[in-house]
Amino acid sequence: MRLDVVSIFPEYLAPLRQSLLGRAVADGRIQLEVHDLRRWATDRHRSVDDTPYGGGAGMVMRPDVWAAALDDVAPAGATVVVPTPAGHPFSQATAADLARREHLVFACGRYEGLDQRVVLDAARRVEVLELSIGDYVLAGGEVAALVVIEAVTRLLPGVLGNPESAVTDSFGEGSPGLLEHPAYTRPVEFRGLAVPPVLLSGNHAAIARWRRDESLRRTARRRPDLVARLDPATLDAADRAV
Ligand SMILES: Nc1cc(-c2ccc3ccn(Cc4ccc(CN5CCCC5)cc4)c3c2)n[nH]1
């Protein structure tokens, strides 16, 4: 997979060169290039923003600068991801879809976002996805790009340490729509808090049942919205008793 990120704060993307992802980049399993948007600015002040038509607070990022950047960085066949508070909700399903693509380009805006014609023009020749990572407003797209890139690249074979967990995570295929159960490790007692005895029992059926129950309880308590979406066919009699 090739990743290109365009931003006026390229150093914001430095975390992509750390940890497992950084190693995948260093050994060429992932190609990563971060570009400073100002490279495509034309005037001597290298300005990238201007006042909004129709008035309103803040500044909007200029279409000419962004279009020039995407012309260079996003060839036919690339997928352009534009983080925005107004985007389609980013989900594990979206991450799995993006993980199957060869070339992702992230257009990270600042100020009040990009002139909409940047999206409209790019969509004429590549797929453009406007994505929101949650219902809160960040100061720019860089952190959202880091979130999407991490969620996507951890699904790539050979990038994640433990391929198994990508399946059993809360929103992975392993346990559809349930939050994951609590996890424990040594010591067996810590500051007066014990590990649930079932986990020490070696009774794998009882352990699986306990984990399932805990997932159902947590999901019912913290995410009633997910419970509403659960497919009743995936709930057995014991589930219904929780
Ligand atoms: N999931 C998620 C993604 C982002 C995000 C992504 C890219 C950019 C680029 C600039 N901004 C700041 C920003 C500030 C104000 C407005 C204006 N809107 C009016 C009403 C609510 C806000 C838009 C945009 C970003 C924010 N935030 N949250």
Side-chain angles (χ1 to χ4, degrees):
M1 177 181 277
R2 179 175 170 89
L3 298 171
D4 285 280
V5 186
V6 184
S7 165
I8 58 170
F9 295 127
E11 62 281 6
Y12 234 97
L13 286 302
L16 295 178
R17 300 197 187 277
Q18 304 299 316
S19 180
L20 288 180
L21 178 56
R23 206 169 308 155
V25 172
D27 62 22
R29 280 171 289 145
I30 290 179
Q31 293 79 46
L32 169 68
E33 192 167 353
V34 180
H35 311 266
D36 184 341
L37 177 69
R38 292 194 195 278
R39 187 174 122 202
W40 289 276
T42 50
D43 64 329
R44 65 191 175 87
H45 299 295
R46 304 181 72 201
S47 68
V48 296
D49 63 304
D50 203 338
T51 52
Y53 277 120
M59 301 292 273
V60 174
M61 299 194 92
R62 292 167 49 156
D64 58 336
V65 180
W66 268 109
L70 294 182
D71 286 351
D72 286 350
V73 173
T79 300
V80 173
V81 174
V82 182
T84 166
H88 300 283
F90 178 61
S91 65
Q92 190 66 28
T94 313
D97 175 5
L98 293 178
R100 287 190 285 271
R101 297 171 189 234
E102 259 317 297
H103 187 186
L104 301 179
V105 175
F106 290 82
C108 300
R110 281 273 157 169
Y111 306 99
E112 303 288 301
L114 281 55
D115 182 301
Q116 194 60 31
R117 290 167 294 180
V118 175
V119 168
L120 296 170
D121 173 61
R124 289 164 167 165
R125 87 199 143 73
V126 294
E127 185 172 359
V128 181
L129 299 174
E130 294 182 85
L131 295 180
S132 164
I133 61 163
D135 292 338
Y136 40 82
V137 183
L138 301 168
E142 289 80 6
V143 167
L146 289 173
V147 165
V148 174
I149 290 170
E150 181 156 314
V152 168
T153 54
R154 68 182 288 277
L155 298 176
L156 297 178
V159 173
L160 178 81
N162 169 9
E164 165 64 20
S165 68
V167 174
T168 58
D169 284 358
S170 287
F171 302 96
E173 312 76 62
S175 56
L178 290 180
L179 300 183
E180 73 259 26
H181 52 73
Y184 296 85
T185 184
R186 283 181 292 225
V188 76
E189 180 165 325
F190 177 70
R191 295 188 180 179
L193 299 167
V195 171
V198 66
L199 298 181
L200 312 173
S201 68
N203 178 339
H204 297 294
I207 290 168
R209 181 72 256 164
W210 179 87
R211 286 175 166 171
R212 173 82 177 182
D213 290 354
E214 284 302 305
S215 289
L216 287 162
R217 279 197 197 94
R218 242 185 194 186
T219 307
R221 244 190 337 261
R222 299 179 182 179
R223 292 294 304 275
D225 61 301
L226 290 180
V227 174
R229 285 193 342 222
L230 272 182
D231 174 1
T234 64
L235 299 174
D236 61 31
D239 289 342
R240 296 177 204 284
V242 172

